Amino acid sequence: MQEYRKWLNSLPLIVKIILALPVLDGIFYGIYRICSGKVPNIILGIIWIFAGTFITWLLDIIFLVMEKPVLEFN
């Protein structure tokens, strides 16, 4: 699971932004949040899989453009 997070973090910014587009965001960044292993992030990841396809992908793109980590609980 941590390998998936490392892989996604190692990608170039433009690829991360492409993966944050609608539908793809729900899949890639939803799984990214689930892989953290923390219960609040697992719940957020499950919600993100469904909501990421419609609304929340914008938040991920904003955070990525600002060069900050995507939204999750620490």
Side-chain angles (χ1 to χ4, degrees), residues 1-2 9 14 17-18 24-25 35 37 40 44 55 57 61 63 67-68 71:
M1 288 187 165
Q2 291 301 325
N9 286 333
I14 189 71
I17 291 172
I18 290 170
L24 294 176
D25 180 65
C35 287
L44 183 63
I55 300 168
W57 62 273
I61 289 179
F63 277 91
E67 296 183 6
K68 296 186 180 206
L71 181 66

Side-chain angles (χ1 to χ4, degrees), residues 26-73:
I27 297 166
F28 285 97
Y29 285 103
I31 294 171
Y32 178 85
R33 289 171 174 88
I34 291 170
C35 287
S36 78
K38 298 176 185 173
V39 174
N41 286 337
I42 292 172
I43 294 169
L44 183 63
I46 293 169
I47 293 170
W48 216 269
I49 288 174
F50 300 105
T53 58
F54 302 110
I55 300 168
T56 54
W57 62 273
L58 280 170
L59 288 174
D60 279 342
I61 289 179
I62 291 169
F63 277 91
L64 290 170
V65 168
M66 293 173 36
E67 296 183 6
K68 296 186 180 206
V70 293
L71 181 66
E72 65 179 359
F73 299 104

